[in-house]
Amino acid sequence: GVGRAGGGRVLQVVVELVRELEIELVDILGRTIGSETVHATAGYHEIQLPNLTQQLSAGAYFVRVTRQDSSVASCRFIVTH
């Protein structure tokens, strides 16, 4: 599962197996704002996203997580100033 905490700056991910995760920050129009790859072991993880969220304008965004098997999970968040 995927969730968020910390005002959109922490991504909470539960991983069943050792996985490489591609984490993308996407705007409401579907444009990729930034991405990073994370190697995660099985279990619960909180992934810090300050590099992807620092310079965002106010609006709606999505965090999309893609696993090695091409499955995708996403969550929406709102940036306000």
Side-chain angles (χ1 to χ4, degrees), residues 42-55:
Y44 173 83
H45 299 273
E46 288 191 350
I47 300 169
Q48 301 291 326
L49 297 177
N51 293 338
L52 298 179
T53 60
Q54 276 183 332
Q55 303 295 327

Side-chain angles (χ1 to χ4, degrees), residues 29-79:
L29 299 175
R31 297 179 295 205
T32 300
I33 305 298
S35 66
E36 63 183 74
T37 301
V38 176
H39 184 77
T41 57
Y44 173 83
H45 299 273
E46 288 191 350
I47 300 169
Q48 301 291 326
L49 297 177
N51 293 338
L52 298 179
T53 60
Q54 276 183 332
Q55 303 295 327
L56 295 180
S57 300
Y61 296 88
F62 295 90
V63 174
R64 181 169 51 208
V65 179
T66 306
R67 298 187 323 194
Q68 289 169 319
D69 63 5
S70 298
S71 63
V72 177
S74 64
C75 67
R76 180 177 162 229
F77 67 98
I78 305 290
V79 174

